[in-house]
């Protein structure tokens, strides 16, 4: 017996009905990115492993246990990208983009890879769309990106997505906060899970992120980063909040949200959805400011801020609402007289060339079976080419969803279809 193959665990095939939802998402997202002046970049799916170690952080789950890393034939350690902020920053530096423009706004859409425990909305190959803005340290840039995220969610008609906001401080105030946090956590060391006990010395912020209930109990009493911000960080956060208020962007403060990646400074935020379709995987997006990353990766000291949204999760929400791209053809051409096959084929080709979505049954067959297929296609109209139509050069556009039949000359079907759209 021959071997049967299936897709790699955690990696999904997307078949046509689902892809229609993806098209709708991508189309609306691109529209939104362009409206805000963001341009698309496409970077490779593979990067050097050290790029992620140095940016996302060695102590994070992503780098510590979720990367698909391997040696290539020359012995270099490469990784499938688990996220795209680091690759985008790498490209920004490599192409010296800062020399050409003071502010750069990029977006991307593509697959990412994390070896995670799977559940609904959490996969090993998943898609992100993200936006990154380089060159501005101003709170207005953070606010613009958050506005972009909120507007995208609105244009998708998704309700019930909420925004959580925090500030993680910077190199001035964070060390003192980390010291206070470490002291507190050390005092509760025995109540922490083994992994957090190990993390304590190296990266205590990660403990705030731990989902283990006993760690969460400890975290509930931990000092809050928002209480420890230095004056410039406090001013930045205050100005951001005023800007969000000015555009009536609703948000809640979550002083315990630290995000799962190490590169953030100051602003951090997440878009969360409580929807049955997502199970407990509630974050549909997240991001923040990372003013030191470009410099740490060997580039100029350019501040930056960005976010990424999980497209698989957004699609689950859209599917729950029954939203997808319209894909039905405008017209189905059926042939009742074998002599009309070639003429029908030419008509279909010409109508498609002039911009109409037209379908036909390439197998020919009985008129009954063709009409069945026409109904199934969801086409708005059917046109039957029989002996009479071919002889007279006239036919009928029959609305398949009911309604008046429209008489047309066979050489002006395109015009009739256009008129019917109005
Ligand atoms: P992240 O929070 O790791 O941030 O991922 C962003 C979003 O990607 C999540 O909110 C979630 O919707 C989606 N996502 C993450 N992992 C999975 C998964 N295994 N399956 C399905 N969806 C998933 C980042 O990646 C940062 N690079 C965001 C950023 C951009 N920060 C600044 N700029």
């Amino acid at each position: 017996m021959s071997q049967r193959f299936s897709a790699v665990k955690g990696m999904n095939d997307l078949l046509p009905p689902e892809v229609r939802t993806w098209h709708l998402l991508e189309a609306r997202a691109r529209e939104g990115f362009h409206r805000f002046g963001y341009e698309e970049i496409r970077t490779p799916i593979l990067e050097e492993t050290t790029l992620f170690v140095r940016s996302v952080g060695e102590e994070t789950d992503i780098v510590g246990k979720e990367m698909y890393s391997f040696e290539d034939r020359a012995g270099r350690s490469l990784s499938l990208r688990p996220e795209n902020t680091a690759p985008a920053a790498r490209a920004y530096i490599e192409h010296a983009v800062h020399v050409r423009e003071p502010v750069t706004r990029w977006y991307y859409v593509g697959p990412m890879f994390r070896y995670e425990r799977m559940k609904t909305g959490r996969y090993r190959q998943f898609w992100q769309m993200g936006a990154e803005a380089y060159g501005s340290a101003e709170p207005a840039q953070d606010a613009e990106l958050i506005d972009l995220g909120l507007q995208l969610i609105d244009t998708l008609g998704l309700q019930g997505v909420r925004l959580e906001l925090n500030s993680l401080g910077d190199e001035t105030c964070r060390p003192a906060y980390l010291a206070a946090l470490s002291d507190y956590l050390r005092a509760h060391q025995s109540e922490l899970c083994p992994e957090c006990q190990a993390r304590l010395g190296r990266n205590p912020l990660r403990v705030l992120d731990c989902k283990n209930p006993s760690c969460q109990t400890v975290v509930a009493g931990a000092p809050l980063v928002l209480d420890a911000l230095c004056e410039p960080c406090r001013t930045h956060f205050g100005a951001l909040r005023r800007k969000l208020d000015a555009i009536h962007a609703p948000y809640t403060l979550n002083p315990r949200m630290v995000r799962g990646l190490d590169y953030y400074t100051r602003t951090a935020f997440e878009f969360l959805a409580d929807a049955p379709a997502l199970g407990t995987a509630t974050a549909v997006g997240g991001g923040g400011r990372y003013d030191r990353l470009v410099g740490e990766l060997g580039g100029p000291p350019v501040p930056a801020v960005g976010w990424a949204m999980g497209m698989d999760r957004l699609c689950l929400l859209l599917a729950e609402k029954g939203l997808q791209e319209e894909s039905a053809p405008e017209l189905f051409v059926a042939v009742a007289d074998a002599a009309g096959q070639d003429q029908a084929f030419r008509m279909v080709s010409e109508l498609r060339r002039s911009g109409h979505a037209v379908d036909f049954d390439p197998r020919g067959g009985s008129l009954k079976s063709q009409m069945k297929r026409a109904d199934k296609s969801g086409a708005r109209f059917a046109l039957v080419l029989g002996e009479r139509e071919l002889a007279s050069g006239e036919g009928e556009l029959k609305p398949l969803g009911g309604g008046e039949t429209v008489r047309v000359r066979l050489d002006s079907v395109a015009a009739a279809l256009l008129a019917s759209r109005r």
Side-chain angles (χ1 to χ4, degrees), residues 8-28:
V8 172
K9 191 170 170 192
M11 309 203 176
N12 300 314
D13 294 317
L14 299 169
L15 301 182
E18 245 175 292
V19 171
R20 268 182 236 145
T21 310
W22 283 77
H23 283 167
L24 180 102
L25 170 61
E26 282 182 40
R28 301 241 173 122

Side-chain angles (χ1 to χ4, degrees), residues 62 82-85 108 114 116 121-124 126-128 131-132 259-261 263-264 270-271 283-288 290 305-313:
I62 296 176
E83 62 101 55
N84 213 34
T85 304
Y108 49 80
R114 295 182 194 175
E116 287 203 77
R122 194 163 73 196
Y123 310 112
R124 292 181 175 173
F126 60 97
W127 284 65
Q128 279 187 349
E132 313 286 349
R259 311 270 303 121
L261 309 95
Y263 45 62
Y264 294 112
E270 272 178 344
F271 300 102
V284 292
Y290 50 96
V305 50
W307 56 247
M309 291 199 198
M311 298 171 73
D312 306 75
R313 294 183 187 179

Side-chain angles (χ1 to χ4, degrees), residues 386-401:
E387 205 176 336
R388 189 153 38 95
E389 287 81 10
L390 292 170
S392 67
E394 277 197 17
E396 285 181 348
L397 289 182
K398 181 174 179 287
L400 292 174

